Amino acid sequence: MGRMRITPDFAHEDALLAQGHRWIAGVDEVGRGPLAGPVVAAAVILDPERIPAGLYDSKSMTARSRDRAAQAIRESAQVGLGEASVEEIETLNILRATHLAMRRALADLGRPVDHALIDGLQLPPNLDCPATGLVRGDSRSLSIAAASIVAKVWRDGIMVTLAQQHPGYGWETNMGYGSKRHITALQALGPSPFHRRTFSPVHKVLWQAEKVSS
């Protein structure tokens, strides 16, 4: 039997609406684990009267269902996107870069937010609004699930474009994650400008190349 898919709901948002909050944003990120490419965050304010059907944690959805859901979200909700570049990931570390992308996503909404529901326990510092962290929030909150879908579709598009510029690593299918093909290509081709050099597998390849050359 397949694994049961958990359906997120609107309970956290309803509780905040009952407290008088109007603009409630779900925030999630995609791309903390890959060896290459940016980390991307999305912030989504759902319209309680127009919540699209079929919103789940993006990791449990097919690419086609994510694409359809992302389109439906954009047509019915307010969406903000934020990225942190490879350079920012290297400079700040991945956690701080993720928090930077989340702040940028909230700012990209173009309107003040009354409260943010953020996936994970650790909240970004210096937020302009009150926030609540929800562990596994993308499987608990529809707003966070919507943000996870939008962020995943956006970042996948970035990696497909980068794959055309830097072929051989398989980014069009592995999206920068450390698949066997990606690691093999990394060893054969060396790192690209979009690889995260502080991440262990990439750092190891650089160290081995330096060792050989010396």
Side-chain angles (χ1 to χ4, degrees):
M1 291 179 62
R3 213 173 145 191
M4 185 180 294
R5 181 160 60 178
I6 300 172
T7 303
D9 59 36
F10 208 63
H12 291 90
E13 292 88 340
D14 279 335
L16 290 165
L17 289 167
Q19 295 171 23
H21 300 297
R22 182 179 179 187
W23 306 110
I24 300 160
V27 183
D28 201 3
E29 55 73 29
V30 173
R32 283 182 66 164
L35 308 181
V39 61
V40 171
V44 175
I45 301 175
L46 291 174
D47 180 345
E49 304 299 323
R50 300 175 63 203
I51 298 175
L55 302 186
Y56 302 96
D57 168 12
S58 63
K59 296 184 290 295
S60 70
M61 301 172 70
T62 65
R64 181 175 293 182
S65 63
R66 277 196 302 267
D67 287 342
R68 287 198 300 262
Q71 183 62 33
I73 292 164
R74 287 183 171 279
E75 290 172 355
S76 62
Q78 299 176 58
V79 174
L81 284 158
E83 299 178 19
S85 67
V86 171
E87 291 76 15
E88 289 170 324
I89 292 169
E90 304 284 66
T91 302
L92 299 173
N93 77 37
I94 186 60
L95 177 60
R96 290 177 180 173
T98 298
H99 286 168
L100 176 61
M102 287 180 169
R103 290 194 297 271
R104 287 171 173 168
L106 284 164
D108 191 52
L109 284 169
R111 67 161 312 109
V113 172
D114 295 329
H115 200 98
L117 296 172
I118 295 179
D119 185 52
L121 195 57
Q122 198 162 359
L123 297 177
N126 305 317
L127 288 174
D128 292 330
C129 63
T132 301
L134 294 178
V135 176
R136 296 192 64 192
D138 46 9
S139 63
R140 299 169 62 191
S141 158
L142 280 168
S143 298
I144 297 177
S148 78
I149 292 165
V150 172
K152 171 68 173 165
V153 169
W154 185 260
R155 186 179 188 279
D156 283 358
I158 291 172
M159 296 311 296
V160 169
T161 299
L162 290 178
Q164 296 168 355
Q165 299 170 14
H166 300 275
Y169 300 104
W171 291 344
E172 67 276 10
T173 54
N174 62 48
M175 304 307 169
Y177 286 87
S179 67
K180 185 177 179 180
R181 177 187 174 188
H182 190 178
I183 296 295
T184 300
L186 184 59
Q187 292 168 341
L189 302 173
S192 75
F194 291 95
H195 275 99
R196 304 173 182 179
R197 283 161 164 73
T198 54
F199 279 42
S200 179
V202 184
H203 182 75
K204 185 177 179 180
V205 169
L206 288 168
W207 178 80
Q208 289 171 337
E210 184 178 336
K211 189 176 179 182
V212 169
S213 64
S214 61

